[in-house]
Amino acid sequence: MTLKLVSNDVAPAAPPVEEGVALARVLVVDDEAAIRTALSRFLKMRGFHAVPVASGAAALEVMQQQHFDAMVCDVRMPGMTGLELIAPALAREPDLAIVMLSAVNDAVTASTALARGAANYLVKPIELTDLHRAVVEALARRARTVELRHAEQLAIADTARKLEAMERDRTSLERLTVDVAHSVISAMEMKTQFLAGHSERVAMLAKSVATQLGLDSATAEAVRIAGLLHDVGTAGVSEIVLAKAGELTTEEMNHVREHVRIGMRILSPLRYLGRVLDYVCDHHEHFDGRGYPRGVAGEAISLGGRIIAAVDAYDALTSQRPYRDAVTPAAAMAIIDTHAGTLLDPAVVIALGAVIAEREKTRTA
């Protein structure tokens, strides 16, 4: 690898150390001794604590003993490649800021590295100033992720305190329910831009579908509240998995599915919600019995759960996602119609179609 330095192989004078950099631990992984030594020396001059290792296996071994904030890693190495190292490294350090280095300007390799969780991909020969900037930016992104998680934890803790207050003072349940719903929505929207407003939209549309089905106002309101709370468990889902642009692995899909159980653990103290909890629990059950977490079918699934399942699918289709563009309401309903009787309750699909048709008619009037 070529590392571009100024004359006499002396790196330029170090700028003031950025906040947090002096404490940042960077793992340098490269099979060429001269390169990893040069990279480590340079990073140390910039205020980092750099630890060089010669292989992916050595990287994983040292990560078992030490904590790291970032990793600078070569793509092509004998044995475990840099791309193969990303997943197990993130399993050990979920917030690891990863910068990949490669001598090949290959779009597929670059996109694969980023999809697997790398923060940046640099092509050799590398200017050391570019490397420094990439590491600092990756660490800054990591800091924002940690900060968002902390905000989510605060929001969940705030929700828990409100739940306790509900149990102590039942006369304040209605007011506190609204507060809890808003706290949950805020926590979810901080996780990723693709979820912004999702719970609110699902809640309002689910209530309209419930009304279209002729349900009484109390049941329709219970469906609305369940719509607000249905994805509370995504607070326990990895941001990397939620933002992944490619197809999820079986392990990642199982991780995402855990959000229902996590959500029920969060909401279980709200015993007064009664059927709302059933609706939240059932929103990923399939009409043919192939859903989760209970694997029940047909009318064994709560009606509120069946409504939220259809509305959740509609909102997902009509919203931008990291792996695809949003589709039109008509296209979304065409897709949903194909799943009536399998994933979704046919009666609910008909009611949803009627609500969407009326909404589009009003919008174009």
Side-chain angles (χ1 to χ4, degrees):
M1 177 178 75
T2 302
L3 296 175
K4 292 188 177 181
L5 297 171
V6 296
S7 61
N8 300 323
D9 286 341
V10 178
V17 178
E18 290 85 352
E19 182 180 356
V21 165
L23 298 178
R25 296 176 58 83
V26 183
L27 182 61
V28 178
V29 189
D30 200 298
D31 60 304
E32 295 186 40
I35 294 174
R36 65 176 179 269
T37 299
L39 290 175
S40 300
R41 176 173 173 268
F42 172 75
L43 291 171
K44 288 176 181 178
M45 292 174 62
R46 291 301 182 267
F48 299 95
H49 179 82
V51 176
V53 295
S55 67
L60 296 178
E61 183 176 352
V62 75
M63 288 180 73
Q64 290 181 333
Q65 307 300 325
Q66 303 179 43
H67 161 74
F68 291 95
D69 303 294
M71 179 174 73
V72 175
C73 182
D74 191 23
V75 170
R76 293 190 174 183
M77 297 184 293
M80 180 183 295
T81 68
L83 292 180
E84 292 169 340
L85 175 59
I86 293 175
L90 288 174
R92 286 171 169 78
E93 293 279 2
D95 297 318
L96 190 67
I98 301 176
V99 176
M100 302 300 295
L101 311 179
S102 176
V104 180
N105 187 6
D106 176 46
V108 174
T109 303
S111 62
T112 300
L114 297 176
R116 293 184 181 185
N120 209 332
Y121 181 95
L122 302 180
V123 179
K124 306 170 186 177
I126 300 164
E127 294 280 357
L128 289 177
T129 53
D130 292 338
L131 175 64
H132 176 254
R133 185 183 304 110
V135 173
V136 170
E137 290 176 352
L139 285 168
R141 186 182 304 176
R142 173 188 182 275
R144 289 193 295 270
T145 298
V146 173
E147 183 179 356
L148 285 175
R149 183 180 298 111
H150 179 63
E152 292 165 9
Q153 291 169 347
L154 290 177
I156 291 173
D158 182 58
T159 299
R161 287 193 295 270
K162 289 175 181 177
L163 297 181
E164 292 175 1
M166 287 180 179
E167 290 298 313
R168 291 193 303 268
D169 184 4
R170 288 182 174 275
T171 62
S172 65
L173 291 182
E174 183 176 353
R175 175 178 58 82
L176 288 173
T177 296
V178 174
D179 290 343
V180 168
H182 286 167
S183 295
V184 171
I185 292 169
S186 296
M188 295 306 98
E189 291 183 354
M190 284 189 292
K191 182 175 286 291
T192 171
Q193 61 177 328
F194 299 108
L195 294 179
H198 171 70
S199 294
E200 186 72 41
R201 293 192 300 271
V202 168
M204 298 308 297
L205 183 54
K207 183 175 182 179
S208 296
V209 172
T211 301
Q212 179 69 26
L213 286 167
L215 303 183
D216 61 81
S217 59
T219 301
E221 177 63 11
V223 171
R224 185 190 73 84
I225 294 174
L228 283 175
L229 300 175
H230 76 286
D231 270 347
V232 63
T234 58
V237 177
S238 165
E239 293 91 342
I240 293 174
V241 174
L242 286 177
K244 183 175 179 179
E247 184 177 353
L248 297 184
T249 65
T250 300
E251 182 180 3
E252 290 168 338
M253 182 61 70
N254 289 337
H255 172 62
V256 171
R257 287 181 174 181
E258 279 299 303
H259 82 276
V260 178
R261 297 187 189 279
I262 293 171
M264 294 310 297
R265 286 200 296 269
I266 293 173
L267 297 175
S268 59
L270 279 172
R271 294 188 296 272
Y272 81 95
L273 285 178
R275 57 186 171 176
V276 169
L277 300 180
D278 293 333
Y279 300 166
V280 173
C281 182
D282 288 349
H283 79 279
H284 275 296
E285 298 292 351
H286 295 173
F287 199 67
D288 61 6
R290 297 182 181 182
Y292 62 91
R294 297 190 297 138
V296 293
E299 293 187 1
I301 307 169
S302 62
L303 180 55
R306 283 177 268 155
I307 292 172
I308 295 173
V311 174
D312 190 27
Y314 174 83
D315 189 76
L317 288 167
T318 55
S319 300
Q320 184 76 20
R321 288 293 186 265
Y323 48 86
R324 59 154 176 79
D325 293 329
V327 304
T328 65
M333 283 309 308
I335 294 171
I336 285 175
D337 283 340
T338 66
H339 295 293
T342 54
L343 273 65
L344 305 172
D345 182 344
V348 172
V349 170
I350 292 172
L352 173 61
V355 171
I356 297 303
E358 182 62 29
R359 175 189 285 183
E360 292 301 301
K361 179 181 177 181
T362 301
R363 182 176 298 170
T364 56

